[in-house]
Amino acid sequence: MKALWVLVIAGLSATAMADEAPTDVAQQTPAIEEYTYSTHLDIAKVISMSEIPNVCEVVPAKIEYDDSKGQRHILRYSVMGNGCSNG
């Protein structure tokens, strides 16, 4: 009978811990930072970069990276699209 209670309590504990996991992950998502000319960039490792569209205008882009301390950042900046030609 004691073994049955131990299994029930262990099962409830595992379920409670599983419910908390998504909250921890959501809190670790970094805020999106806006780039300015005075922004100090400390990029140790690039995780991902957004695709630059094939248009001839300034478009928003994002880069996700880790800094030299291992902290994750998401930086939004403006870039000229890839659709312009000189001819």
Side-chain angles (χ1 to χ4, degrees):
M1 188 65 151
K2 289 181 183 180
L4 180 61
W5 281 109
V6 170
L7 289 174
V8 169
I9 291 172
L12 291 174
S13 297
T15 303
M17 289 173 34
D19 288 343
E20 293 177 10
T23 305
D24 294 340
V25 173
Q27 291 175 351
Q28 293 175 358
T29 303
I32 296 177
E33 305 167 30
E34 293 289 334
Y35 174 80
T36 64
Y37 287 114
S38 63
T39 302
H40 172 70
L41 297 177
D42 177 14
I43 302 174
K45 179 181 179 184
V46 174
I47 307 303
S48 67
M49 295 178 69
S50 61
E51 288 283 326
I52 306 302
N54 197 21
V55 296
C56 189
E57 61 186 74
V58 176
V59 294
K62 279 193 254 184
I63 181 172
E64 185 172 353
Y65 66 93
D66 290 339
D67 65 16
S68 60
K69 296 177 184 174
Q71 293 180 335
R72 181 79 35 110
H73 298 269
I74 299 175
L75 185 69
R76 183 173 26 222
Y77 59 99
S78 297
V79 64
M80 192 66 180
N82 290 331
C84 298
S85 65
N86 293 331

